[in-house]
Amino acid sequence: MLASNPVLGPNNLPRKLWKDWPPTDTLGENLNTNLTILTEQLGDNSDFFIRKFNIGSTDIRAAIVYINKISDIKTIQEYVLKPLMLDLSNTDVLKLDVSYDFKHYIKDHVLPLCTISETQFLYEVIEKLLAGSTALLIDGISGGLVLGTGSTAPQNFEEPASEALVRGPKIGFVNSLDENISLLRTRASDPNLRMLKCQVGERNKKNLVISYVDGVADPDLVDEVKRRIASIKIDDPLDSGYIEQLIEDNFMSPFPQVQSTERPDRVIASLLEGRVAILTDGTSYVSIVPVTFSMLLQSPEDYYVRWIPASLVRLLRFFAAFIALLGPAIYISFLSFHQGLIPTKLAISMAGTREGVPFPPFLEALIMEVVIEILREAGLRLPKPVGQTVGLVGGLVIGQAAVEAGIASPLMVIVVSLTAISSFAIPQYDAGIALRMLRFVAMFSAALLGIYGVVMFTLFLCIHFVKLKNFGIPYASPLVPYRLNDWKDFLIRAPLSMMKLRPKMMNVQDQTRQREDPMERK
């Protein structure tokens, strides 16, 4: 039984499994009707183009349909439009039967292309379009010709330095918006992937593309993203960071409320979860909304390895985040207020290491933390070879000199070093910055009230987490509110065979992302 709308599948959702299209979904003889059907399916994309023209100097109407950037425009102009519009003589056209052998004549004698195929089915045309081919449709002829015009331009994509992986695609975005769109198109063949182009900037216009998967993403979320971007009134958004700051919910929060990435695989995975990506011209960073704090501790590599090591590494990241936030504060509170809670032998050893140190634990930790932050910032601003040397040698030399001069104890150097290393274990740089800032607040709380100050700081932080929302999604999800299904990809990463549903916190239209295998495993 066919659906009433040839573009929609069951439950009036856009079709996603094109191989399941019934064979009766074909292209008819009316050119305008065929273009309308294609426009309904792909027309929301800014890179979807239709070029109508007359064949030769006759009244025969035709059109080519292609996706920009993944199709070679020069090939289309030189080997498709020019032969059909200029080189084809009227004599050749008039002696042919348009309804019978005209299409075969064009295929065999007019178009000098290596790959030309005929098709009657709508799903085949869309599959080929998303692979870089061009569809030629002629009025009065059913079906169409699919022309091999895929772009063969060399790619100079490199792995992003800020998100390097041991296993996974070694490819990242570049500063060109068109190239980034092409990169997503070549890696995501979903016909429901939408690319909506808009402009931001009162004086200097900046091109943006809002990307989402139609039929998966929540329409209210997409509309909210469009509304916030349309409300931006700034002279020139120089980078995606401007856009992120202008569309976030709470500018007073220290936590990042927009996820930024240079990895196409992370963007595609986010789109399939029902999230929205914002591509900005002139930058290699793509913004993704909404985001929760747990997402900032996830890495694409978690899904490229087996679930047991991936889960252990993810738990290690959560522990590293805890150390990066509260490590020095706990050390200060125990050493300054709660020495009785420290085991006797350890307390004697710690007292011995602090002999001769003139500063209290808080001031000692503050000096070392500030020095580490200065070294980290200096290493980022210097050229890479010099920066790495300054960071490594500077840390070793200053730490050793501080111990020998009696400014800091060896144990404090260990705590500060462990804290700095733990912050590097967080995959998202923005999340690491937030924890580094809050670390100083936690240290002040510990210096004032000891462990009670650390507890109060943690409670206030939890209250802020629970109250903070990101495009209507609680920032503490899936912890609060509690959703059992979403916990399969929270503290641990469950086996892929168990992750059959998309995150419920995203309010997606299509909840299922892994269909049941029709053949049971023996």
Side-chain angles (χ1 to χ4, degrees):
M1 190 69 180
L2 299 180
S4 59
N5 189 336
V7 180
L8 300 181
N11 301 322
N12 291 328
L13 293 178
R15 292 185 182 274
K16 289 165 279 299
L17 301 177
W18 296 91
K19 63 182 179 180
D20 295 336
W21 269 52
T24 51
D25 286 340
T26 60
L27 295 172
E29 296 182 356
N30 188 284
L31 176 63
N32 292 329
T33 301
N34 293 337
L35 294 178
T36 300
I37 294 175
L38 287 173
T39 303
E40 287 178 353
Q41 186 61 44
L42 298 173
D44 290 339
N45 293 288
S46 58
D47 54 351
F48 171 70
F49 287 91
I50 296 176
R51 173 68 163 89
K52 297 181 180 180
F53 60 93
N54 285 358
I55 295 180
S57 58
T58 68
D59 294 331
I60 301 176
R61 296 291 293 166
I64 58 171
V65 183
Y66 63 95
I67 304 293
N68 193 26
K69 287 304 175 183
I70 62 175
S71 298
D72 191 352
I73 302 300
K74 292 183 178 179
T75 301
I76 295 174
Q77 293 175 345
E78 185 68 24
Y79 299 107
V80 179
L81 291 178
K82 184 175 180 293
L84 291 174
M85 298 178 65
L86 302 178
D87 298 342
L88 191 61
S89 65
N90 295 338
T91 304
D92 294 333
V93 176
L94 293 175
K95 69 181 181 181
L96 296 171
D97 184 358
V98 175
S99 63
Y100 178 68
D101 53 0
F102 185 62
K103 181 167 60 174
H104 301 284
Y105 180 80
I106 290 179
K107 175 182 176 182
D108 298 334
H109 300 282
V110 178
L111 299 179
L113 294 172
C114 295
T115 305
I116 301 178
S117 60
E118 299 182 38
T119 182
Q120 299 286 333
F121 302 114
L122 179 61
Y123 78 94
E124 288 185 357
V125 172
I126 296 180
E127 279 184 342
K128 298 296 183 180
L129 288 176
L130 295 172
S133 298
T134 299
L136 173 61
L137 306 177
I138 302 173
D139 194 19
I141 299 179
S142 63
L145 294 177
V146 178
L147 315 177
T149 58
S151 177
T152 58
Q155 295 183 349
N156 55 353
F157 302 108
E158 298 179 356
E159 183 180 14
S162 60
E163 297 177 271
L165 301 181
V166 177
R167 180 175 181 177
K170 310 297 182 181
I171 190 171
F173 289 114
V174 295
N175 292 333
S176 171
L177 178 62
D178 291 334
E179 294 295 333
N180 292 338
I181 294 175
S182 173
L183 185 56
L184 284 182
R185 282 292 187 192
T186 55
R187 294 182 57 84
S189 59
D190 192 336
N192 298 303
L193 178 62
R194 297 290 182 253
M195 298 281 185
L196 307 181
K197 183 174 287 187
C198 57
Q199 288 187 331
V200 175
E202 297 297 304
R203 296 184 179 271
N204 298 329
K205 300 294 183 181
K206 182 77 69 174
N207 290 325
L208 301 180
V209 167
I210 302 173
S211 180
Y212 64 97
V213 178
D214 191 16
V216 175
D218 184 6
D220 294 335
L221 171 62
V222 177
D223 293 339
E224 180 64 18
V225 174
K226 294 179 183 177
R227 186 192 66 79
R228 295 192 187 189
I229 291 180
S231 65
I232 296 177
K233 306 297 180 183
I234 190 173
D235 286 346
D236 184 8
L238 298 175
D239 184 77
S240 60
Y242 281 72
I243 307 299
E244 294 173 5
Q245 296 176 62
L246 292 172
I247 65 173
E248 64 183 2
D249 288 72
N250 185 356
F251 66 90
M252 294 298 293
S253 175
F255 296 101
Q257 298 160 60
V258 179
Q259 186 176 17
S260 59
T261 180
E262 292 183 281
R263 299 196 62 89
D265 53 338
R266 185 191 287 272
V267 172
I268 294 172
S270 300
L271 293 176
L272 293 176
E273 286 183 346
R275 301 163 71 189
V276 178
I278 304 171
L279 291 76
T280 308
D281 194 16
T283 178
S284 61
Y285 281 90
V286 174
S287 306
I288 305 173
V289 293
V291 65
T292 64
F293 185 76
S294 63
M295 294 178 181
L296 300 175
L297 297 181
Q298 298 173 2
S299 170
E301 198 170 14
D302 294 348
Y303 307 93
Y304 302 148
V305 298
R306 298 186 68 250
W307 73 278
I308 296 178
S311 299
L312 293 176
V313 172
R314 184 175 292 183
L315 288 173
L316 186 63
R317 290 196 205 106
F318 276 93
F319 179 71
F322 175 81
I323 295 297
L325 178 63
L326 298 178
I330 294 176
Y331 177 81
I332 292 171
S333 62
F334 274 89
L335 205 60
S336 300
F337 293 88
H338 311 287
Q339 300 90 342
L341 298 178
I342 305 175
T344 304
K345 292 184 179 180
L346 179 59
I348 295 174
S349 176
M350 294 172 65
T353 59
R354 287 191 47 78
E355 185 177 359
V357 177
F359 304 111
F362 167 69
L363 189 57
E364 179 187 3
L366 184 62
I367 293 174
M368 295 303 300
E369 286 289 350
V370 171
V371 169
I372 289 294
E373 293 299 326
I374 293 175
L375 281 174
R376 191 199 313 250
E377 189 67 17
L380 289 175
R381 306 306 165 200
L382 290 172
K384 288 185 179 180
V386 180
Q388 294 175 356
T389 304
V390 169
L392 179 62
V393 177
L396 292 174
V397 172
I398 293 178
Q400 183 65 26
V403 172
E404 293 181 356
I407 298 177
S409 64
L411 190 56
M412 177 61 74
V413 173
I414 294 175
V415 171
V416 172
S417 301
L418 180 61
T419 303
I421 294 173
S422 297
S423 64
F424 287 124
I426 300 174
Q428 291 288 313
Y429 180 72
D430 293 342
I433 293 179
L435 296 181
R436 285 157 52 188
M437 293 188 301
L438 292 173
R439 180 194 309 156
F440 289 95
V441 181
M443 290 167 55
F444 277 102
S445 302
L448 291 175
L449 299 175
I451 197 65
Y452 303 105
V454 176
V455 172
M456 292 299 297
F457 165 79
T458 305
L459 288 176
F460 279 113
L461 190 62
C462 290
I463 293 173
H464 175 69
F465 254 60
V466 173
K467 291 179 62 178
L468 184 62
K469 287 191 175 182
N470 183 240
F471 286 85
I473 305 298
Y475 199 69
S477 295
L479 183 63
V480 178
Y482 175 77
R483 293 183 178 91
L484 179 61
N485 179 72
D486 292 351
W487 275 62
K488 295 178 182 179
D489 196 19
F490 178 35
L491 295 176
I492 65 172
R493 200 272 285 173
L496 292 179
S497 58
M498 295 178 60
M499 299 170 60
K500 297 181 180 180
L501 300 178
R502 293 185 174 89
K504 290 185 177 181
M505 59 183 170
M506 294 299 167
N507 300 319
V508 295
Q509 290 182 285
D510 183 8
Q511 191 69 38
T512 304
R513 63 177 168 187
Q514 185 177 160
R515 270 69 184 176
E516 293 289 346
D517 191 349
M519 298 182 62
E520 296 182 359
R521 295 181 180 179
K522 300 296 183 180

